[in-house]
Amino acid sequence: MTVHALPDPQAMVAQQQRTHSGRLRMLLVVAACAAPVLASYFTFYVIQPRGQAYGELIAPTVDLPAQLTLHDLNGKAVATETLKGQWLLTLVQGGDCDEACEKQLFMQRQLREMLGKERDKVDKLLLLADEVPLSPALQQALAQGVAVTVLRAPRAELEAWLKPAEGGALRDHLFVIDPMGRWMLRSPAAPIPGKIKADLNRLLKANAGWDKAGR
């Protein structure tokens, strides 16, 4: 007849303490990562220094859909997680890109450069809501300045995530996505870069201790 040793109560207590300590450390790490972004939202929504934001704040923020169907220009699938880690100045356009589209791309490029030393914390994203081949004008516009991340996505999926102002269209606006993938700011139609820059400066300043250049 086999006799099994009883569990050591002290060993069990020690194991429970180690498990509790590990969970506590993990929660502290998560809190430390999230705190700067939460602070920036608190600054915008509660403190609101120097008056209201120029762009329209999205409350509550809207998460980047995990199942958003993204493809690069070669048709290769792209995971949504690859878009996280940087602030994104986001435009939604079509492959034909008319004159208004070209102006939006110029504004996007100008706005990033206006951020000066903070610009490396910001990426430019162009979402194409169709499968139309890129027009020569669009190709030329994309070749200027720092590279733009260009991805295609079904229009219906983009419209379920990003919303234009009443009576407008997605192509009218610049959408600001935070490093955690949350849509949190929409510019007016035909935005003034200098005023959007002021919004971005406040966000980047609030995240200065956490948000590093490069993704």
Side-chain angles (χ1 to χ4, degrees):
M1 187 174 184
T2 303
V3 177
H4 296 281
L6 294 174
D8 184 348
Q10 292 183 343
M12 294 178 65
V13 170
Q15 177 62 37
Q16 291 174 348
Q17 289 176 338
R18 286 194 295 271
T19 300
H20 177 74
S21 177
R23 289 174 178 171
L24 181 59
R25 284 196 296 270
M26 183 174 66
L27 289 173
L28 289 174
V29 169
V30 172
C33 292
V37 174
L38 295 176
S40 68
Y41 290 155
F42 181 80
T43 300
F44 257 92
Y45 292 119
V46 181
I47 301 176
Q48 294 184 343
R50 302 179 196 171
Q52 300 289 330
Y54 169 68
E56 183 176 353
L57 294 163
I58 307 304
T61 57
V62 183
D63 289 339
L64 174 68
Q67 302 305 316
L68 182 63
T69 307
L70 295 171
H71 294 87
D72 63 19
L73 295 178
N74 294 318
K76 181 180 179 181
V78 175
T80 56
E81 289 297 315
T82 63
L83 297 181
K84 296 182 180 180
Q86 290 281 85
W87 294 93
L88 297 176
L89 303 179
T90 305
L91 295 174
V92 180
Q93 298 291 335
D96 51 355
C97 195
D98 57 14
E99 183 178 354
C101 165
E102 292 179 47
K103 289 181 179 179
Q104 290 280 62
L105 288 169
F106 175 77
M107 178 271 300
Q108 182 192 48
R109 182 168 66 252
Q110 181 187 31
L111 177 57
R112 183 181 181 277
E113 291 305 309
M114 289 169 63
L115 293 172
K117 65 181 181 180
E118 300 292 334
R119 62 179 176 269
D120 289 337
K121 298 177 182 179
V122 178
D123 282 352
K124 297 179 293 182
L125 175 63
L126 174 61
L127 297 173
L128 300 178
D130 56 35
E131 296 296 329
V132 175
L134 271 59
S135 67
L138 178 54
Q139 294 181 44
Q140 183 177 0
L142 294 176
Q144 300 180 39
V146 175
V148 183
T149 300
V150 184
L151 299 172
R152 296 188 189 274
R155 180 174 296 277
E157 293 185 22
L158 291 176
E159 290 176 341
W161 173 38
L162 304 172
K163 305 291 184 184
E166 185 176 355
L170 288 178
R171 65 185 301 159
D172 297 335
H173 304 283
L174 177 80
F175 302 93
V176 178
I177 314 300
D178 78 11
M180 299 179 75
R182 297 167 178 163
W183 168 38
M184 52 83 60
L185 187 74
R186 176 179 61 210
S187 80
I192 300 172
K195 292 188 176 183
I196 289 292
K197 173 181 176 289
D199 287 346
L200 288 171
N201 279 340
R202 282 187 285 172
L203 285 170
L204 293 171
K205 183 177 181 180
N207 287 274
W210 164 76
D211 189 16
K212 304 301 181 183
R215 192 179 304 185

